[in-house]
Structure formats: C-alpha cells, structure tokens
Amino acid sequence: MTDPSTQSGDNLPAKSTDDTGMPLIIYILYLVTCLGIGIAALVGVIMAYVLQGKASSWVQSHYQFQIRTFWIALVVSIIAFLLLFVFFLGAILYGLLAIWIIIRCVRGIIWLQAGEAVPDPTSWLFGQPKSA
C-alpha cells in the first residue's frame, strides 16, 4: 500500500512541506534586514549557500533567488551609501531598496507556501519570467 502523503493525484511525488522551513526562515531574515539588522541577511545568504545543494529542484530555485537577492542588495547598498553624500540620493535609494527586498521576499514566500518554484530565480526584479 502506498503512502498517500507521498503521492499526488497525477502519480507524481507530492512536494514535501518540510522542505520549505529553511527557505521561509531565510525570507524572514531578509525582511528583518529591512528593519536595520544587517547581520540577518548575512546569516540568510550563508544558510542559502549551504542548503541549496541538498534541496529539491523547486526549493533550489528559492535558494538561488535568495542568494541573488542578497548580492544585488549588497551592491545597491554600497552605491546608496556612496550617494548619501550627494544630495541625499542614497536615502532615496535605500528606501527603494527596502521596498524591492520586501516585494521579492513576499513573492518568494507566496510561491514557497504554494509549493511552486520561483518562475525566474535569476530575475533582477521580482522573479517573474520575461514576457515575449
């Protein structure tokens, strides 16, 4: 007899819900970073690097999305810091960066909770595939 928790209606293995705990924690760490606790993002990206090789392919897309989020945010943060001395343009850029991080994390959490891969984990924006 087969275990119903491992089979879906179309005879494909069901996605394991325990795969989603660590990516969810990383998304939350990134959101905490927006509150000014920068070390949380560093902890999150280290976790993503360590765990990505052990995850199923759809969860790996979340780790890839999270790693990319960290590096893009780091580069933009450095640019924003440098621009703080130019008519406070950096403050505006920091605000936009926080909004960008929040949107990416919320979208990632939504996909994660739905058991879906990130459609385009290499995206610069919000993980949506490019329209043709």
Side-chain angles (χ1 to χ4, degrees):
M1 182 189 273
T2 61
D3 181 8
S5 65
T6 61
Q7 296 292 321
S8 64
D10 53 346
N11 292 330
L12 294 174
K15 292 180 176 66
S16 173
T17 56
D18 60 351
D19 285 337
T20 63
M22 295 311 283
L24 179 60
I25 289 170
I26 296 169
Y27 283 125
I28 292 169
L29 286 170
Y30 284 3
L31 290 171
V32 167
T33 300
C34 292
L35 300 174
I37 305 170
I39 194 77
L42 184 59
V43 170
V45 76
I46 291 169
M47 289 171 59
Y49 272 117
V50 169
L51 296 170
Q52 77 176 358
K54 302 172 188 167
S56 60
S57 62
W58 76 276
V59 176
Q60 281 181 3
S61 74
H62 286 274
Y63 289 132
Q64 183 180 8
F65 188 63
Q66 292 166 336
I67 290 167
R68 190 165 173 87
T69 299
F70 173 84
W71 288 112
I72 293 170
L74 180 65
V75 169
V76 173
S77 291
I78 292 168
I79 293 167
F81 177 76
L82 296 173
L83 289 177
L84 275 175
F85 306 106
V86 182
F87 303 110
F88 298 106
L89 290 175
I92 295 168
L93 190 54
Y94 273 128
L96 293 173
L97 178 61
I99 292 168
W100 178 81
I101 290 170
I102 291 167
I103 292 171
R104 277 180 74 100
C105 289
V106 168
R107 291 187 72 122
I109 291 169
I110 290 169
W111 286 317
L112 189 66
Q113 296 301 314
E116 298 174 0
V118 176
D120 183 7
T122 62
S123 167
W124 282 80
L125 291 176
F126 308 116
Q128 284 299 113
K130 295 170 187 75
S131 303

